[in-house]
Amino acid sequence: MGNRILLIEDEYAIASFVTQGLQESGYAVAVCYDGEKGLEMLQDGDFDLVILDIVLPGMDGREVARTIRGQGLDLPILMLTALGSTENVVRGLDSGADDYLVKPFKFKELEARVRALSRRRSSGPRGNRTLSAGNLVLDRDAKTVRRGEADIHLTATEYRLLEYLLLNKNRVLSRIDILESVWDITFNLGTNVVDVYVNYLRNKIDKPFNSKLIHTVIGMGYTLKDNEP
């Protein structure tokens, strides 16, 4: 598991607190205090994970995340921010973040998120390289999704959600299951971010087609069923 972390945070007290804690846990941490400088450091260094504040001078964290993804970099991004509403969580994830931690936070929670994101990256795809349900096919190597003859274009978060649903095809998954497995989010089990992203996914893989794959199980969660095309 890689342990080089780039921290982009403009609040010096938080940057110092996070850096000291991670270094004591065995991580190598480089720090910068604005988004543009952070992008320069990413180009010059070999990092395994980025911890990124949203409110930064100049280029904000969401723009930094979009730029990182636009450059084809797939390293995990953990956002730190005081903006904790569902709308802000979704905006952060849509910009390319893998996980989202709201300030104030306990260091042990931050460290747990870092470990989880590092494990996710180092483990990579396991088992079958192709997952399917009906005429929907997800290629885990090419990171592509097709339904019938149509290419389905997903964001990174939508892709992870679909992959998890396919890996657990025909099982009923609670919102907590999905939060902990797709986003590693456990701090706010009342958030409706799962429902938001399930709806995004339905709009792309179900609505344009005759049969429905994703089903709501009232009071329990969601399931993806192997329907006929």
Side-chain angles (χ1 to χ4, degrees):
M1 182 179 69
N3 67 349
R4 285 183 50 81
I5 295 174
L6 174 62
L7 172 63
I8 308 175
E9 167 63 70
D10 69 327
E11 294 186 48
Y12 288 86
I14 293 177
S16 176
F17 162 70
V18 170
T19 300
Q20 181 178 347
L22 289 173
Q23 288 176 340
E24 290 175 356
S25 297
Y27 295 92
V29 184
V31 185
C32 66
Y33 304 100
D34 68 80
E36 292 182 357
K37 177 62 176 176
L39 289 173
E40 291 177 11
M41 291 177 68
L42 275 176
Q43 296 299 322
D44 297 336
D46 181 20
F47 294 98
D48 302 294
L49 184 142
V50 176
I51 300 175
L52 174 64
D53 189 19
I54 284 186
V55 181
L56 294 167
M59 180 183 291
D60 72 22
R62 283 187 288 261
E63 188 176 353
V64 173
R66 283 191 291 268
T67 302
I68 290 172
R69 296 305 182 219
Q71 293 173 345
L73 300 174
D74 65 351
L75 76 171
I77 299 173
L78 171 61
M79 280 190 169
L80 300 180
T81 181
L83 306 174
S85 69
T86 296
E87 179 183 359
N88 281 305
V89 171
V90 169
R91 288 178 65 194
L93 295 171
D94 280 350
S95 68
D98 297 279
D99 201 356
Y100 200 101
L101 186 57
V102 177
K103 301 174 183 176
F105 55 86
K106 295 181 179 179
F107 177 76
K108 286 187 176 180
E109 185 174 8
L110 170 68
E111 187 179 19
R113 302 296 184 87
V114 168
R115 285 198 305 267
L117 289 172
S118 298
R119 284 196 304 268
R120 181 189 297 167
R121 187 189 192 203
S122 62
S123 62
R126 296 185 299 274
N128 293 335
R129 292 299 193 263
T130 301
L131 304 174
S132 64
N135 62 347
L136 177 76
V137 178
L138 181 149
D139 186 322
R140 301 175 81 184
D141 289 327
K143 298 291 190 292
T144 58
V145 177
R146 292 179 61 84
R147 186 160 186 190
E149 299 302 314
D151 292 322
I152 310 293
H153 300 287
L154 303 179
T155 67
T157 304
E158 292 164 352
Y159 176 91
R160 288 200 308 272
L161 175 58
L162 178 59
E163 182 181 43
Y164 181 66
L165 292 173
L166 285 167
L167 286 168
N168 294 276
K169 186 170 58 177
N170 299 318
R171 287 183 55 199
V172 177
L173 302 168
S174 70
R175 289 169 177 81
I176 294 175
D177 292 332
I178 296 171
L179 278 171
E180 293 182 343
S181 299
V182 177
W183 290 288
D184 305 306
I185 293 175
T186 58
F187 62 89
N188 181 7
L189 299 181
T191 179
N192 66 340
V193 69
V194 169
D195 307 277
V196 170
Y197 272 93
V198 167
N199 188 55
Y200 285 171
L201 202 52
R202 280 175 161 159
N203 286 337
K204 293 184 178 182
I205 72 167
D206 275 347
K207 280 194 174 181
F209 303 94
N210 293 328
S211 61
K212 183 170 68 171
L213 298 174
I214 300 174
H215 302 266
T216 301
V217 182
I218 296 175
M220 299 183 71
Y222 296 101
T223 183
L224 189 147
K225 294 185 177 179
D226 204 356
N227 288 355
E228 291 297 322

